[in-house]
Amino acid sequence: RASLMTKFALVSAKEALIDAGLGGSPGCLDGFPAGVASGVTHGSLAYSCDFHRGIVLEGGAGASPALFSDSVLNASTGSISLAFSARGPAHTLIGGSAVGLQAIGLGAGLVRSGVIRVCIVSCAEVMEEISINAYSRFAHLKKMDGSSKKAGFVAGEGAGALVIESLEDAVSRGAHPVAEVAGWSFRTAGSIRDGLADAVRASLKMSGMERTDVRHIISGANGGPSDVDEAEGLGKAIAHGATVVSLKGYIGEGFGASS
């Protein structure tokens, strides 16, 4: 009965928990101070449309309980919390293609503050017919027939999840950390170029790094017109010589799920 987006989120969270050595079975976090932070862009639009269609056509009697639970944007967050008994804070961030990074920052902040010891960070995205149609009408999608060189992105879908905890907790459990979240920062005002440059500088300062320490950058470039702004912003904040790659040329623009 769950939407495809919620299924994506649940599977990715389970795989992340297994990889972290925390089990991954239903209720595996019961009694453990754990929370969830999710990043969402569109949500389960098909469920939302069907739910509201019933209300429009039939009034209150047409509000289907079977559709409602996945028609809201925090559906995947709640499902992960319930499935694995993560009884701590459960937050859903709504945003564009950077919302996955924002969710990582939120999860790291919750762990660092001591509110929880483990945070599942999850982002999932499903490209529904209605969203594909909307992006097509605004000419945001890349035409794949070779007839146009106009900028645009290729739609993608899927999910990704991380388990964030302190290094001490991970080592004490015998887990093998794959990365450190050393610094993060976000900007929502001003131009993309200047906002990105400011966010990168603040992240480097938080992590105790210099602009010359950066050797590799995973970019959010997706083939759209904002790629130029991103390149200029990175150029202002990072010393020349770092390699820059984007995964979205391989997996498509999955918004939070591909950030």
Side-chain angles (χ1 to χ4, degrees), residues 42 58 79 89 143 169 185-186 197 202:
H42 302 98
E58 303 176 35
S79 294
K143 291 185 177 181
D169 280 352
S185 180
F186 310 103

Side-chain angles (χ1 to χ4, degrees), residues 1-248:
R1 194 174 74 179
S3 70
L4 183 58
M5 176 181 157
T6 295
K7 292 176 181 178
F8 277 175
L10 286 169
V11 170
S12 66
K14 177 180 179 179
E15 292 182 348
L17 287 167
I18 292 172
D19 187 63
L22 289 170
S25 59
C28 65
L29 297 175
D30 191 19
F32 199 79
V36 181
S38 296
V40 177
T41 299
H42 302 98
S44 301
L45 287 176
Y47 273 59
S48 299
C49 290
D50 289 345
F51 177 75
H52 287 92
R53 184 181 294 110
I55 296 176
V56 170
L57 296 177
E58 303 176 35
S64 170
L67 294 174
F68 174 74
S69 60
D70 272 31
S71 71
V72 293
L73 289 169
N74 63 346
S76 59
T77 309
S79 294
I80 291 172
S81 297
L82 291 170
F84 304 108
S85 297
R87 305 184 190 279
H91 295 289
T92 303
L93 301 180
I94 314 300
S97 58
V99 73
L101 298 177
Q102 292 175 303
I104 292 173
L106 173 60
L110 289 170
V111 172
R112 176 176 287 192
S113 68
V115 173
I116 51 179
R117 289 176 59 189
V118 167
C119 187
I120 303 172
V121 177
S122 171
C123 292
E125 194 65 48
V126 173
M127 283 290 102
E128 310 273 13
E129 181 180 353
I130 186 172
S131 56
I132 292 292
N133 182 55
Y135 286 120
S136 296
R137 289 190 176 199
F138 284 97
H140 288 325
L141 293 181
K142 179 71 174 179
K143 291 185 177 181
M144 303 301 293
D145 57 5
S147 62
S148 174
K149 295 183 179 180
K150 186 177 179 180
F153 67 82
V154 177
E157 61 182 7
L162 298 172
V163 172
I164 297 179
E165 61 183 324
S166 70
L167 179 61
E168 293 77 13
D169 280 352
V171 172
S172 67
R173 294 192 301 103
H176 300 284
V178 297
E180 177 186 1
V181 183
W184 61 90
S185 180
F186 310 103
R187 297 291 187 274
T188 57
S191 67
I192 295 175
R193 179 191 61 191
D194 294 337
L196 176 60
D198 288 344
V200 171
R201 293 189 191 104
S203 298
L204 289 173
K205 182 178 180 180
M206 182 178 181
S207 63
M209 297 174 63
E210 301 293 335
R211 65 195 303 265
T212 53
D213 294 329
V214 179
R215 292 290 179 265
H216 186 70
I217 300 169
I218 299 179
S219 160
N222 63 5
S226 62
D227 290 358
V228 174
D229 295 312
E230 183 179 26
E232 292 177 351
L234 290 173
K236 291 178 65 177
I238 302 296
H240 292 289
T243 58
V244 182
V245 300
S246 175
L247 300 178
K248 294 181 181 181

